[in-house]
Amino acid sequence: MMLLFYLAGAVALISTVSVIISTNVVHALVYLIISLLAVAVIFFVLGAPFAAMLEAIVYAGAIMVLFLFVMMMLNLGQATEDEEKAWLRPQLWVGPGLLILVLLTQLVNVLVTQQVDVVPVEVGVRELSVLLFGPWLLAVELASMLLLAGLIAAYHLAKK
Amino acid sequence: MPSIPYEHGLILAAILFVCGLIGVLTRRNIVFILMSLEIMLNACGLAFVVGSARWGHADGQIMFLMILTLAAAEVAVGLGLIIQMYRRFHTVDISVLSEMKG
């Protein structure tokens, strides 16, 4: 179980770094799908099978397919890739990279002080749904309104 | 079931978040910026699920569901904006948006 966690974590890290340094949009999308699936494996290891399934179905399935459809509509060719290569100069990464490294070091320093081992307890769909339609009912309704607003906005923005 | 160090999960989430942040700061292609935002949202969701596993409670997973909803709505609106931008300027470079006229 532990090995699976570190393996999936390494896959997620490598594919995420590949996303942000890649110049081809479709390659980056495929790397992002790999990263999301690796995070889904981590969710499974952490005892959240329902979250893992949703990650695979909604994130890696629906959202990434939406991205792919838009990429097909835009039909970005070789010109965009060359442009992208010209923009990605190494010196561009130095400033943000250093600043963010400082922030990450602080964050990791805070996190390593709490040594707690997690023994994953599986939280199944039943417990989750009881909570969702009990104390969190208002949040579910608000989420549905958010999705409706997103639907209408996307329709309005994307139409000719 | 063998245990997993709690801080390792959070550190992984932090590193993924930072990768997304670097992507947002350095890329000029708006599609890559949207993808980096997805990475950051996903890292937040991972942190919530790790917290949920740490305290053996399902509330973190419910927050993950909310983040999933938010990400779906955000991507739909963002991609609509990208399509509109590509129609008007025929490019995915965000620096064309800095020149506002009219």
Side-chain angles (χ1 to χ4, degrees):
Chain A
M1 257 348 207
M2 221 166 148
L3 184 69
L4 203 60
F5 175 80
Y6 289 113
L7 214 59
V11 171
L13 271 181
I14 293 168
S15 48
T16 306
V17 171
S18 304
V19 171
I20 60 167
I21 64 172
S22 134
T23 52
N24 188 321
V25 183
V26 180
H27 292 180
L29 263 177
V30 176
Y31 276 126
L32 188 50
I33 292 176
I34 295 172
S35 160
L36 294 174
L37 289 178
V39 174
V41 171
I42 292 173
F43 285 173
F44 205 80
V45 173
L46 287 173
F50 186 55
M53 278 175 229
L54 279 181
E55 174 96 7
I57 295 170
V58 179
Y59 251 121
I63 296 180
M64 290 303 122
V65 167
L66 208 62
F67 261 106
L68 268 180
F69 273 138
V70 171
M71 286 311 99
M72 283 195 267
M73 276 178 75
L74 296 186
N75 203 9
L76 304 170
Q78 188 64 38
T80 316
E81 209 179 318
D82 296 339
E83 209 177 37
E84 196 67 31
K85 276 189 186 127
W87 287 339
L88 273 183
R89 298 189 311 274
Q91 61 262 42
L92 203 70
W93 298 84
V94 176
L98 279 179
L99 290 177
I100 287 172
L101 204 65
V102 173
L103 286 180
L104 183 67
T105 320
Q106 287 176 343
L107 202 57
V108 169
N109 263 331
V110 173
L111 290 178
V112 289
T113 51
Q114 7 191 304
Q115 305 275 347
V116 186
D117 278 3
V118 178
V119 182
V121 187
E122 193 171 314
V123 181
V125 183
R126 181 184 290 272
E127 293 94 321
L128 209 60
S129 353
V130 166
L131 272 176
L132 264 182
F133 288 93
W136 290 88
L137 188 60
L138 187 65
V140 174
E141 296 294 336
L142 285 176
S144 72
M145 276 186 206
L146 177 73
L147 281 176
L148 181 65
L151 176 73
I152 295 171
Y155 171 73
H156 176 73
L157 287 172
K159 85 178 171 198
K160 288 218 163 134
Chain B
M1 202 185 269
S3 58
I4 293 159
Y6 159 65
E7 68 274 7
H8 288 184
L10 284 183
I11 288 171
L12 178 66
I15 296 174
L16 287 179
F17 187 87
V18 157
C19 283
L21 191 56
I22 292 179
V24 170
L25 289 176
T26 53
R27 303 305 296 245
R28 276 174 71 184
N29 187 331
I30 192 165
V31 181
F32 278 100
I33 294 178
L34 204 58
M35 268 193 249
S36 304
L37 281 175
E38 282 307 299
I39 294 172
M40 287 163 79
L41 276 176
N42 191 43
C44 295
L46 177 61
F48 269 114
V49 173
V50 171
S52 159
R54 157 75 172 77
W55 278 281
H57 207 280
D59 280 357
Q61 291 189 41
I62 288 170
M63 281 317 290
F64 171 73
L65 292 188
M66 298 301 147
I67 290 175
L68 202 71
T69 319
L70 181 72
E74 177 243 334
V75 157
V77 174
L79 286 173
L81 284 170
I82 290 178
I83 290 175
Q84 200 57 254
M85 174 184 159
Y86 195 74
R87 262 190 212 136
R88 289 193 187 187
F89 301 103
H90 296 288
T91 179
V92 280
D93 179 6
I94 48 160
S95 55
V96 298
L97 296 182
S98 62
E99 294 137 22
M100 293 180 73
K101 35 185 184 287

